[in-house]
Amino acid sequence: MDVHEYDGVRRVTYEGGAQFVPVCKRCGRFVVADDSIMSNGAGVKNEPNSTCRRCERTYMVFEGFVG
């Protein structure tokens, strides 16, 4: 992924600081983010966290944790 690929795109940040770009990892369309996500001691759980109109349940692009 090019670091500048999502410049100017809004971000979704959850309690705890996990930050995502609300774009489907499969098709690149914008998605509807879930109200909350699951995490564990090592980070964000690997489970769908958004809904895409084309792909249905999917994953957003994870950027990391912000403080």
Side-chain angles (χ1 to χ4, degrees), residues 7-45:
D7 281 351
V9 176
R10 70 180 176 87
R11 303 304 198 251
V12 176
T13 305
Y14 291 94
E15 185 176 331
Q19 182 170 294
F20 295 84
V21 179
V23 172
C24 179
K25 281 182 132 179
R26 294 181 192 143
C27 72
R29 289 177 172 225
F30 285 102
V31 297
V32 176
D34 290 352
D35 291 333
S36 62
I37 58 168
M38 298 298 291
S39 62
N40 56 28
V44 177
K45 285 192 175 181

